Amino acid sequence: MESIARHRRFLLAMAASAVMAAGGLVAPAAFAQSATWPIAGKPIRIVVPFPAGSGSDATARVIAKLMSDELNGASVIVDNKPGAGTFIGAQDVARAPADGHTLLYTIVITHTQNPHLYAKLPYDPVKDFTPLAQMVKSATVLIAPPDAPFNNVQEMVRYAKANPGKLNYASFSQGSTSHLNGELLQMRTGTKMTHVPYKGTADASRALAAGEVQLYFDGTATAVQLIKAGKAKGLGTATPSRVPVLPDLPTIAEQGVQGLDIVGWQGIFGPGNMDPAVARKIGDLLAKIGRSPEMVKLIETQGNEPSGASGPAFAAIVKNDSERWGEVIKAANIKLD
């Protein structure tokens, strides 16, 4: 009888192991171990695919500080890996262990624009990442030089139609949000303009202020600076509603042109296949940090808005924006490789 009982226990154990292997289930002890975050003594690394001193880098460093404070002094470091349209930093995180100790702080381009701009990417934007939290919602503002012969979007459209190809619009790089908004504006208004890409926001803003170009979808912070300094005038915002730092400037939609309301963002991702419990824990922590007075003040000072979207809500935003930008890029036939 004892041998039969032992044999029965053996068969039950083998069956349980087979079920877990086939269904991808994790034994309770293993799950408890994998759900532990942070791991004592192991630093948390936030990879930023932009140079030190950039706007995204500055925000990531505040997030790192606040994470460390919330985690009782745990080591949280920022690791800058700029270049190649965010490829280098994104690939680093995609290949990292999915234990929540390597995170990516990036902008909308990595997951919603690059997949449509390049035939081949060194990462899979869906399988290789776990969306954790959207930290910042950012807008673009359509600006023009002070002496431009138009003062709002409707006047600009009339001028562009009367002078096809004569208006130049800047972007801070080929395939960037500022470029794609310019393409979208032409599609929605039936106008023809000339795209002039620059190497970064500083060069594009300088070109607009110098009158080298007549239009530029600028980031909110720099657009506000140029407008306040009298070096540019605002025509409209590419947002669903007016931005708080420019309450008197109508949206482009308010002025009769629909569809330019895809809000930019900055968010945090982990590698793919993260333990759901760990991902939820990190997402909840980041959402809490995003609501903190220090974080809200920084984001609003930059002319942006804080966001509380985390986990599935952030994943839905990424998916929706990818589909919308994909339509624009396909219609404009933009390829960067």
Side-chain angles (χ1 to χ4, degrees), residues 29-50:
F31 180 85
Q33 184 178 10
S34 67
T36 300
W37 183 88
I39 300 170
K42 185 173 184 178
I44 297 168
R45 185 168 62 102
I46 302 178
V47 175
V48 177
F50 302 102

Side-chain angles (χ1 to χ4, degrees), residues 4 29 57 164 174 194 201 226 235 257 284 287 294 327:
I4 294 174
D57 172 71
Q174 187 85 6
T194 302
T201 56
L226 290 173
L235 302 182
V257 180
D284 290 346
E294 185 173 351
E327 291 174 0

Side-chain angles (χ1 to χ4, degrees), residues 61-266:
R61 291 183 185 278
V62 173
I63 292 172
K65 172 188 173 296
L66 296 176
M67 282 186 74
S68 179
D69 293 344
E70 290 288 336
L71 297 172
N72 300 315
S75 177
V76 184
I77 60 174
V78 171
D79 186 4
N80 298 95
K81 290 188 175 294
T86 74
F87 286 7
I88 296 173
Q91 187 176 27
D92 183 321
V93 175
R95 293 178 174 178
D99 58 5
H101 281 260
T102 303
L103 308 175
L104 176 68
Y105 187 78
T106 191
I107 62 173
V108 65
I109 185 173
T110 306
H111 293 84
T112 73
Q113 296 171 356
N114 280 347
H116 308 286
L117 292 167
Y118 296 89
K120 293 183 180 180
L121 289 178
Y123 59 85
D124 186 303
V126 178
K127 295 179 180 179
D128 289 345
F129 297 94
T130 301
L132 298 174
Q134 182 189 55
M135 303 301 294
V136 179
K137 293 189 292 184
S138 56
T140 53
V141 181
L142 181 60
I143 58 175
D147 60 352
F150 39 78
N151 296 301
N152 55 51
V153 172
Q154 292 175 336
E155 291 178 0
M156 182 277 296
V157 171
R158 286 197 293 268
Y159 183 89
K161 288 183 175 180
N163 300 274
K166 292 186 179 181
L167 284 181
N168 298 326
Y169 74 94
S171 77
F172 53 80
S173 69
Q174 187 85 6
S176 64
T177 301
S178 55
H179 174 199
L180 297 179
N181 269 334
E183 294 290 343
L184 190 54
L185 177 64
Q186 294 176 85
M187 290 164 56
R188 294 289 187 263
T189 58
T191 55
K192 180 63 178 177
M193 307 176 200
T194 302
H195 174 223
V196 183
Y198 289 87
K199 294 182 178 179
T201 56
D203 286 350
S205 296
R206 177 199 55 76
L208 187 286
E212 295 175 11
V213 293
Q214 292 75 49
L215 296 169
Y216 176 37
F217 280 98
D218 199 0
T220 308
T222 46
V224 170
Q225 291 175 1
L226 290 173
I227 292 170
K228 287 185 175 179
K231 297 181 179 180
K233 57 185 174 184
L235 302 182
T237 61
T239 52
S241 56
R242 298 190 185 193
V243 297
V245 291
L246 294 169
D248 297 326
L249 183 62
T251 68
I252 293 174
E254 284 182 83
Q255 300 178 66
V257 180
Q258 305 300 318
L260 279 85
D261 58 354
I262 311 178
V263 175
W265 45 258
Q266 300 171 26

